[in-house]
Every structure is written in C-alpha cells, then in structure tokens.
Amino acid sequence: MDFLTARWEHLVLANYAMLPAVLAPYLPRGAELDLRGGEAFASLVAFHFLDTRVLGVPWPGFRDFTEVNLRFYVRAAGDRGVVFVSELVPQAFVAAMARLTYNEPYRAVPMGARLERAGGAVRVAHWLRFPFGTQHIEVEAEDAPFVPDADSEAQWFKEHQWGFGTDHFGRAIRYEVRHPRWRVLPVRSQRIEFDFGKVYGEPFAFMSTTAPRSVFLAEGSAVAVRVAGGI
C-alpha cells in the first residue's frame, strides 16, 4: 500500500559536483555513490508539495506546502536512487512525523514560494528565513516543456525510482517513488543565494561560492511513495 500520495510540481534542481568525502558520512550501508562522468553530485531541490495524503487520508492544514532538500545520488543492489542530507519544510508537524516514522532528516524552517506565468515564461521563487539571513532560490524558464532524451543530463538528475535511508536502528531501508517521466522547461536564468555551510554544515560551505554545474526546472506530476524494505 502507498504510504504517501501527492503532487510534486515545478521542481528546481541545482546540481553541484561534490567531493566524495563530503557525501560518504551520509551513505546508508550497502549503498555507493552513483557517478556521472566520474564525478559525484548533489542537488539542491525546491518544489511544491500539493494534495498530500498519508495512507489515503488528507490532513487538513498539511496538504499543500513547499519543500527544499539537498540530495545526492547512489546505487544499491543494482538500483539507482537518492539519499537526502536534509529536507526542509515550513510545518513542524510534518517534519516531526517524517523523523518519527521513517527517520528522514526533516527540519522545519519558515519558508515560502511564488509561481508566476507571464510573457511565455515561468518564474519560480523560494525563500527560507534563518536567523543568519534569508536564502533565495529563483529560476526563470521558457513555458515550453519537453521530454528530455533518455541519456541526457536532465534525465539523469530528475528520474529516480528509489530512495535510500537509514532507520532508527541503523538499518538501511529503501522506498519507491512512482511517477510518469517528467518534462522539463528550458531555464533562462537562475538566482541561488544560499549559505550552504550554515544550512547544512561546514563541509558544504564551498557550494556557496561554486556555480552549479546545471539547473533544471521539471514540471512534476502526481507521485506515490511506498516503503519497500531493506537494501
């Protein structure tokens, strides 16, 4: 049975080359880094989480929100997937339930988002408020979505059926995320003003002064998530 269903829409993916040593402490047992062109990558992802239902039940006041996460790419038991360094949401209840139920690294942070369509463009903006300052993620793209090639960079970053993590007892777990293949919109410009060191820890500080290797805006779709056991 699906644990969670929702719509994930207008996903911004800003992708950074990473030193494997930075990501190694977050690897679940049995997983290894998934490399592209011999390099490891992490992505700052911001998106709209809509019509959320847990075990088929919509929770009033917790159905629609935004999420910003930092994830990286792994392989385990022959499958490609992602591991999360941190997942930020605006509601403390959502963060607490995710930590309690599946030990997912959620935190609650005051945040908001805006979506605009005008003049053939789509503009997505996210902001997160911390004591040390407001962080910004903004993208403008052409309103002309298309399905990227199967071997494209966009496809490699955006399409992952599996997520991997570690439960409260230190055991590696996996979950399945099902959705149709997402279209992407051609990105015209981006603004990422984000203090990675203060948000995620000093090992990630270099990302603040490093340009992302690529930035994509994925259209998104309905998704279904279910826990699928261990690795």
Side-chain angles (χ1 to χ4, degrees):
M1 180 178 182
D2 294 329
F3 170 73
L4 180 145
T5 60
R7 290 193 63 84
W8 294 351
E9 292 189 351
H10 297 100
L11 296 93
V12 177
L13 295 93
N15 312 302
Y16 295 81
M18 303 291 294
L19 292 173
V22 174
L23 303 175
Y26 298 90
L27 277 171
R29 293 178 183 176
E32 62 182 8
L33 293 175
D34 188 14
L35 306 180
R36 180 175 175 83
E39 293 183 293
F41 286 89
S43 298
L44 183 66
V45 182
F47 64 103
H48 300 272
F49 217 124
L50 305 175
D51 193 24
T52 305
R53 297 169 185 261
V54 178
L55 298 176
V57 179
W59 290 45
F62 301 100
R63 294 181 62 184
D64 300 337
F65 51 91
T66 56
E67 177 174 321
V68 173
N69 64 59
L70 183 65
R71 73 185 196 184
F72 64 99
Y73 303 91
V74 304
R75 288 183 178 271
D79 294 320
R80 295 186 63 231
V82 302
V83 172
F84 292 99
V85 173
S86 178
E87 297 165 88
L88 306 175
V89 291
Q91 296 102 331
F93 176 79
V94 172
M97 288 299 295
R99 290 194 305 269
L100 178 65
T101 306
Y102 290 115
N103 200 34
E104 282 293 296
Y106 272 82
R107 286 191 289 158
V109 174
M111 56 197 297
R114 181 178 68 254
L115 172 67
E116 298 176 345
R117 275 190 162 91
V122 176
R123 299 177 183 87
V124 180
H126 291 261
W127 56 92
L128 302 87
R129 295 188 174 93
F130 291 89
F132 50 81
T134 301
Q135 314 298 298
H136 297 276
I137 305 167
E138 299 181 7
V139 164
E140 179 178 303
E142 295 179 28
D143 196 0
F146 67 96
V147 177
D149 294 338
D151 61 351
S152 67
E153 186 179 18
Q155 180 77 1
W156 193 88
F157 281 109
K158 71 182 177 67
E159 299 293 337
H160 293 85
Q161 180 181 0
W162 300 103
F164 301 102
T166 302
D167 70 11
H168 292 286
F169 302 99
R171 298 173 300 198
I173 58 172
R174 71 161 66 206
Y175 51 91
E176 184 181 17
V177 182
R178 303 191 310 278
H179 61 76
R181 188 174 170 187
W182 288 333
R183 301 190 298 178
V184 297
L185 293 79
V187 172
R188 294 175 176 174
S189 63
Q190 69 266 350
R191 173 195 176 203
I192 300 174
E193 296 179 358
F194 210 90
D195 193 326
F196 287 89
K198 289 184 178 178
V199 177
Y200 300 116
E202 185 59 28
F204 297 93
F206 75 95
M207 298 171 69
S208 299
T209 56
T210 302
R213 186 68 58 86
S214 58
V215 178
F216 300 109
L217 180 61
E219 204 172 32
S221 69
V223 301
V225 181
R226 69 176 180 91
V227 177
I231 294 176

